[in-house]
Amino acid sequence: MTTGLSYVAMRMASAIATLFVVSVILFAAVDLLPGDPAQQILGVNATPERIEEVRRQLNLDDPAPVRYGRWMWGLLQGDLGESVRTGGPVEQIVGRPALNTAILVVVGFGAIVAVALVLSALSGIREGSRLSNVVSLGALGALSVPEFIVAGILIAVVGLELGWLPAVSLVPIGGTPLDRPVILVLPVISLAIVGGAFGARLIRAAVADAARMPHVEAARLSGVPEGRVILRHILPAAIPPTAQVLAFLVPFLVGGAVVIERIFAYPGLGSLLVDRVSLRDAPVIEAVGLLQAAAVILAFQAADVVGFLASPHRRTAP
Amino acid sequence: MISVRELDIRGHLDARILGGLCVDLERGKTLAAVGGSGAGKTTLGLSLLGFVRRGMRLAGGEVEFEGRNLFALPERELRRLRREAIAYLPQNPASSLTPTLRVEDLVGERRTDRSPSAEELLELVQLPGGRSFQRRFPHQLSIGQQQRVAIARAIANDPRLLILDEPTSSVDPTTQQVLLALVERLRDERGVATLLISHDLPSVGRVADEVVVLSSGRVVERGGALRVLDSPADPYARALVSASPDIGVSQPRTAAVAAESAPVLGVDGLCAGYSIGRGRGKRTIHAARDVSFDLAAGETLALIGRSGSGKTTIARTLLGLHAPTDGEVRLGGAAIPPRLRQRDRSQRAAIQLVPQDPEQSFNPRRSIGDGILRTIRQISGLRGGAATLRLAQVLELAQLDPALARRRPRELSGGEQQRAAIARALAAEPRVMICDEITSALDTIVQRQIIDLLKLIQDETGISLLFITHDLALAHEFAHRIGVLSEGRLVEIAPSGQFARRPQAAESRVLLEAAPSLSRTLATRQDATRPSAGGDDAARAVHNATSGAPGDASAPAEPNLVPGRNA
């Protein structure tokens, strides 16, 4: 019998193992990027001797496994290395954009969950009602529009034409986006429309499945008040699949944030990543990639744990 | 108290589910609705809650409870009645209890101010009322316990009307007894009116005052329980009663088997098990322990036992689907490999299965005929016209209309699906056919037809049958010999007649004791009621529609059954 605690420990161990595998793939992928960092740093007019010297400084001539080992060893000690382009520790380069993106993702996630839960609960419980069909169709429509188009329309109409909200999300120097929350509104709406539609459709399906179970009919025929039928007889069964859906929103948000940040000139990881990929700044790219992977893995493991805790037949002895 | 008038409920394409149904039920009385599957019994039960399932609609008539038409009540009022006055026990306890709620919530949720405590309610159904039991979830209960929790939940609101949908069909004899005793007690002590929906005629015979026999949504017969079950007048009702397996009257199948010939199938010291759990909690369940028996040509051997006694594991092991830990299986005297993949084509063909749930065993997207043809091609190697000819032969043998072979599994009735599964097994020209609980999901009339069909096939082909069942009465009259399994051991194996007369093992006596028997039940009740009731149940029960309005003071405790126009 697995208890809750040992289950969580098991999931954490598997999360760490997954993260290791991801780090190998990430390192290999960055290593395979075309272009020599030394050449990039020195420009096209550099002499071969000079390039050779920089390569040696950056340890680029070591075989890949050795460089991976050195990187991982540093990581385990909390050292992300130094930028090969601008110098300086990677922590400092990544730190503030990571915080900015985290704020965007968390606020976006909250908005999506609010939109998705309300819409799906309203429509899933009484399947086949008019509200249910409207939500379902509306969500499909919203889902078909890419977030950058939504963002473009929002900027053009709300930002420029009406001038209600800033079209560019400039963060005050030395501050965080929370000092000027108004700059978050349009990016979050752009993410929430698409993500909320995606979440609402899937959660709606989970709630509808739960509402179709025979014990729900039995509860209604027992005269259980409708509110209690929903809260105690329908929704608990919908928790595990809903947790999975919410976990799927995290990679969507992390990926979507890259595009949205670029559009709104928001100084987050997405903007940083795009800049550094074009500069072949391997340590920074790897750090950002690993951070994103960790967020996604953590989300899925958390969803598994929530599903486990919400299922008495898995949590307790038979 | 409750009166159903001219109730007309339609289903898909306006098909009649219930037609012009009239039923009355008085305080303190028990009315049983019996009939085959599809007769409309459950629909009738739900209508007493003012409910019609999706896909059906109310086309006419009314259900009057204490003077008010349930179908005209607002939702809020209806919910109040369901919460305070009416109790409903759904058909399948396992799926009707919310899996995320504990026993205390399931029972407590329906309690009112007047109700006994959850502990008292649980003790009423002979469950432990203590804290640790109340903290359990449904999956931590046996089926019998689930059913008892469900009934405790149902009666928690101190109901005046109790609707029980097939309460005894999926549970063990002990739970059946608890349930029936509770119905009697509620009737006697609190005057609860009960509608018992059931195809379990012995249970009906024990508790019902009145019986209505339903067929295709109409009442074909109604009257006092003893009269209807003892001497039904309507042909369908007669068929239903005579098809009910009855250990009290059934004749054992006498051996017409060449007992001296070498056995077709031999099982020697078979052991099989499986492990559950992981890590420290890992345990091995021994589902079969040292099981040995022979099966002669043309013989039917019934394996009986409670759930969990190892019946299905033995079948799976013989089929090569489950690897035994010890022992061997012999076919015509020669040992065959334990695993299916090691067996050659003829060895595979020789042992065929008719599964418990035939619908699941056919591809839902292909026709029944395609499914059978596949077996013919795989095992007989026949192609084209020869395969089609073979298909026609097996369909005829299984008495399945060739037109039905073009349909998909879902479009067939339960009995037809079972014939299709038998035809598919026969397509391999097996020497042994294993029938795993093939009649348990069928109503008694169809069950009888399938048994008759198997006897006929056996006479024609000389095939041997291993008939796995928990229905002792059925085993008694269909099998030449009966083997009793208890915790994986074959504790007794004897010819059917001898078995019923002189059971040797303790488990055999327990099973015989619990075997349902309509005739014995009726005899017991007739003895008990003879001094008071006379013999005029029928006359008492059948009234003219105009007489005896519900609540008539002259006959307060008298059930008043009004014959429907279409009856």
Side-chain angles (χ1 to χ4, degrees):
Chain A
M1 188 48 231
T2 346
T3 64
L5 212 60
S6 71
Y7 182 81
V8 172
M10 219 168 68
R11 303 309 311 197
M12 284 304 113
S14 93
I16 290 167
T18 314
L19 203 53
F20 262 107
V21 175
V22 170
S23 76
V24 173
I25 296 170
L26 191 64
F27 188 86
V30 174
D31 206 54
L32 286 173
L33 278 179
D36 182 350
Q39 180 89 57
Q40 287 271 330
I41 293 166
L42 298 169
V44 280
N45 298 325
T47 60
E49 294 78 30
R50 184 84 183 103
I51 288 178
E52 199 46 47
E53 194 186 319
V54 172
R55 284 186 67 87
R56 227 183 351 268
Q57 274 175 9
L58 298 175
N59 295 315
L60 288 179
D61 290 329
D62 292 339
V66 173
R67 282 181 285 127
Y68 172 81
R70 193 179 295 127
W71 176 57
M72 187 43 68
W73 184 243
L75 268 187
L76 291 176
Q77 292 164 320
D79 175 16
L80 291 170
E82 294 204 347
S83 162
V84 297
R85 293 306 302 270
T86 57
V90 171
E91 292 100 290
Q92 275 179 18
I93 297 170
V94 173
R96 190 157 291 278
L99 179 67
N100 291 346
T101 294
I103 290 169
L104 181 62
V105 167
V106 168
V107 175
F109 188 76
I112 288 177
V113 170
V115 170
L117 285 188
V118 169
L119 289 183
S120 56
L122 281 178
S123 60
I125 286 162
R126 286 281 182 200
E127 205 191 356
S129 68
R130 181 173 299 177
L131 179 64
S132 164
N133 295 335
V134 168
V135 168
S136 186
L137 263 176
L140 186 62
L143 197 54
S144 333
V145 185
E147 65 263 22
F148 60 86
I149 292 187
V150 175
I153 294 171
L154 284 174
I155 289 175
V157 177
V158 184
L160 300 178
E161 196 64 35
L162 301 170
W164 289 347
L165 292 162
V168 176
S169 300
L170 294 174
V171 176
I173 293 173
T176 72
L178 295 179
D179 298 335
R180 270 187 81 206
V182 71
I183 62 167
L184 283 170
V185 175
L186 288 185
V188 165
I189 291 177
S190 310
L191 285 171
I193 285 181
V194 183
F198 168 81
R201 272 186 76 83
L202 292 178
I203 296 171
R204 197 192 79 89
V207 174
D209 279 346
R212 260 197 302 270
M213 285 156 85
H215 65 251
V216 176
E217 182 190 271
R220 287 209 172 101
L221 293 178
S222 299
V224 177
E226 189 63 15
R228 193 179 159 86
V229 170
I230 293 170
L231 286 179
R232 301 299 303 273
H233 295 267
I234 297 180
L235 292 185
I239 288 175
T242 300
Q244 291 294 326
V245 171
L246 295 184
F248 266 101
L249 286 173
V250 172
F252 162 79
L253 275 169
V254 167
V258 173
V259 179
I260 293 293
E261 284 172 6
R262 202 66 185 164
I263 294 173
F264 287 95
Y266 183 89
L269 284 182
S271 304
L272 179 72
L273 190 64
V274 175
D275 290 341
R276 297 294 164 146
V277 167
S278 56
L279 291 176
R280 305 288 179 277
D281 197 345
V284 176
I285 301 170
E286 285 156 357
V288 172
L290 215 51
L291 216 56
Q292 293 178 332
V296 170
I297 290 169
L298 195 70
F300 278 103
Q301 301 293 1
D304 283 352
V305 170
V306 167
F308 175 83
L309 294 178
S311 311
H313 66 278
R314 295 179 58 199
R315 176 159 55 86
T316 58
Chain B
M1 174 187 240
I2 194 151
S3 150
V4 177
R5 294 206 204 103
E6 297 289 325
L7 189 64
D8 198 343
I9 292 181
R10 305 278 166 152
H12 183 57
L13 298 177
D14 241 22
R16 185 186 66 203
I17 311 290
L18 292 178
L21 199 82
C22 296
V23 173
D24 282 73
L25 178 57
E26 292 295 311
R27 191 170 178 279
K29 287 288 167 180
T30 301
L31 169 71
V34 302
S37 45
K41 304 192 297 287
T42 295
T43 307
L44 170 64
L46 293 174
S47 76
L48 298 198
L49 291 152
F51 181 72
V52 178
R53 280 212 170 121
R54 269 181 75 175
M56 300 183 193
R57 66 182 180 86
L58 180 72
E62 55 185 42
V63 174
E64 201 181 274
F65 178 72
E66 296 175 343
R68 294 190 292 174
N69 180 8
L70 292 181
F71 287 113
L73 286 182
E75 187 69 24
R76 161 184 287 278
E77 204 42 32
L78 204 51
R79 193 176 298 141
R80 197 183 61 78
L81 280 180
R82 291 172 187 166
R83 192 166 61 238
E84 294 175 1
I86 307 177
Y88 170 61
L89 181 74
Q91 191 161 3
N92 184 346
S95 63
S96 73
L97 296 176
T98 301
T100 47
L101 290 183
R102 299 176 190 273
V103 170
E104 58 186 353
D105 295 322
L106 288 165
V107 175
E109 179 176 75
R110 274 179 53 74
R111 286 181 53 236
T112 63
D113 304 337
R114 305 170 272 130
S115 306
S117 70
E119 186 173 346
E120 285 167 316
L121 284 162
L122 289 172
E123 278 163 6
L124 210 57
V125 291
Q126 296 183 21
L127 287 172
R131 186 94 192 107
S132 69
F133 188 83
Q134 289 200 29
R135 295 287 295 164
R136 291 204 198 170
F137 288 102
H139 74 276
Q140 296 169 309
L141 309 173
S142 71
I143 298 264
Q145 288 173 326
Q146 286 175 345
Q147 183 70 304
R148 285 189 239 179
V149 168
I151 183 90
R153 169 177 161 84
I155 61 168
N157 63 347
D158 194 13
R160 301 194 285 279
L161 171 65
L162 182 59
I163 301 161
L164 306 170
D165 194 351
E166 297 284 4
T168 54
S169 62
S170 59
V171 297
D172 57 289
T174 322
T175 301
Q176 289 185 4
Q177 295 310 316
V178 168
L179 224 134
L180 297 175
L182 186 70
V183 170
E184 288 171 329
R185 192 169 154 191
L186 288 172
R187 177 190 62 196
D188 297 342
E189 291 179 5
R190 306 203 205 166
V192 173
T194 306
L195 174 71
L196 172 65
I197 294 164
S198 185
H199 62 245
D200 174 8
L201 295 185
S203 293
V204 168
R206 176 171 157 189
V207 297
D209 298 296
E210 308 292 330
V211 172
V212 288
V213 182
L214 293 183
S215 173
S216 312
R218 289 169 195 271
V219 174
V220 295
E221 178 148 9
R222 67 175 77 219
L226 295 183
R227 206 276 299 160
V228 171
L229 295 177
D230 193 50
S231 47
D234 175 79
Y236 178 81
R238 263 206 304 279
L240 196 70
V241 170
S242 67
S244 176
D246 189 336
I247 192 83
V249 292
S250 70
Q251 291 301 311
R253 195 164 169 196
T254 44
V257 179
E260 296 307 309
S261 64
V264 173
L265 183 76
V267 178
D268 225 3
L270 195 73
C271 296
Y274 47 92
S275 49
I276 57 165
R278 268 193 305 222
R280 261 180 301 159
K282 184 164 172 168
R283 285 181 292 156
T284 303
I285 303 288
H286 297 281
R289 308 177 200 222
D290 196 17
V291 171
S292 305
F293 61 84
D294 286 336
L295 189 60
E299 185 188 28
T300 299
L301 170 66
L303 283 184
I304 61 168
R306 309 181 206 199
S307 44
S309 60
K311 305 188 294 286
T312 296
T313 304
I314 292 174
R316 287 173 53 81
T317 310
L318 298 180
L319 288 160
L321 298 173
H322 186 99
T325 48
D326 200 7
E328 70 174 18
V329 178
R330 277 175 282 108
L331 197 64
I336 55 171
R339 287 173 190 276
L340 192 63
R341 66 175 63 167
Q342 298 158 339
R343 293 184 186 173
D344 65 29
R345 192 187 271 183
S346 75
Q347 287 167 339
R348 289 182 192 194
I351 308 177
Q352 288 291 310
L353 172 75
V354 183
Q356 184 167 7
D357 183 351
E359 187 184 344
Q360 299 285 322
S361 73
F362 280 98
N363 185 335
R365 294 174 185 280
R366 299 184 140 252
S367 73
I368 290 287
D370 272 357
I372 301 173
L373 272 175
R374 189 164 181 279
T375 302
I376 294 173
R377 291 198 202 99
Q378 295 271 321
I379 290 190
S380 322
L382 295 176
R383 292 286 183 276
T388 318
L389 193 67
R390 180 82 194 124
L391 174 65
Q393 286 171 353
V394 295
L395 289 178
E396 197 189 332
L397 200 55
Q399 296 177 1
L400 188 68
D401 184 351
L404 295 181
R406 283 196 291 275
R407 299 207 190 155
R408 304 211 173 136
R410 211 156 44 90
E411 299 166 326
L412 265 54
S413 72
E416 288 160 353
Q417 288 170 356
Q418 206 54 272
R419 286 170 195 275
I422 291 170
R424 181 182 51 191
L426 291 172
E429 298 183 61
R431 300 166 71 181
V432 178
M433 200 152 77
I434 299 178
C435 305
D436 188 2
E437 298 276 13
I438 62 169
T439 57
S440 56
L442 305 174
D443 69 57
T444 46
I445 291 183
V446 180
Q447 189 174 337
R448 176 61 40 142
Q449 291 165 353
I450 294 288
I451 294 301
D452 289 344
L453 172 70
L454 288 176
K455 282 184 182 166
L456 208 69
I457 290 171
Q458 206 162 24
D459 288 344
E460 266 181 50
T461 61
I463 196 172
S464 306
L465 295 178
L466 190 64
F467 189 74
I468 293 173
T469 182
H470 63 258
D471 187 337
L472 181 54
L474 199 64
H476 178 247
E477 64 170 280
F478 176 50
H480 299 101
R481 285 189 300 156
I482 293 180
V484 178
L485 283 164
S486 174
E487 291 172 6
R489 282 181 212 285
L490 193 60
V491 293
E492 176 165 5
I493 184 162
S496 297
Q498 183 190 325
F499 175 84
R501 282 191 307 276
R502 289 187 303 278
Q504 301 297 313
E507 178 72 3
S508 310
R509 284 191 288 275
V510 171
L511 289 174
L512 268 170
E513 196 70 31
S517 167
L518 180 59
S519 57
R520 284 180 194 168
T521 312
L522 292 183
T524 316
R525 242 181 96 174
Q526 260 153 357
D527 290 345
T529 55
R530 186 151 293 137
S532 60
D536 59 348
D537 276 315
R540 177 164 61 93
V542 182
H543 286 281
N544 198 301
T546 52
S547 78
D552 191 341
S554 65
E558 199 92 326
N560 182 18
L561 292 154
V562 182
R565 257 178 217 171
N566 300 314

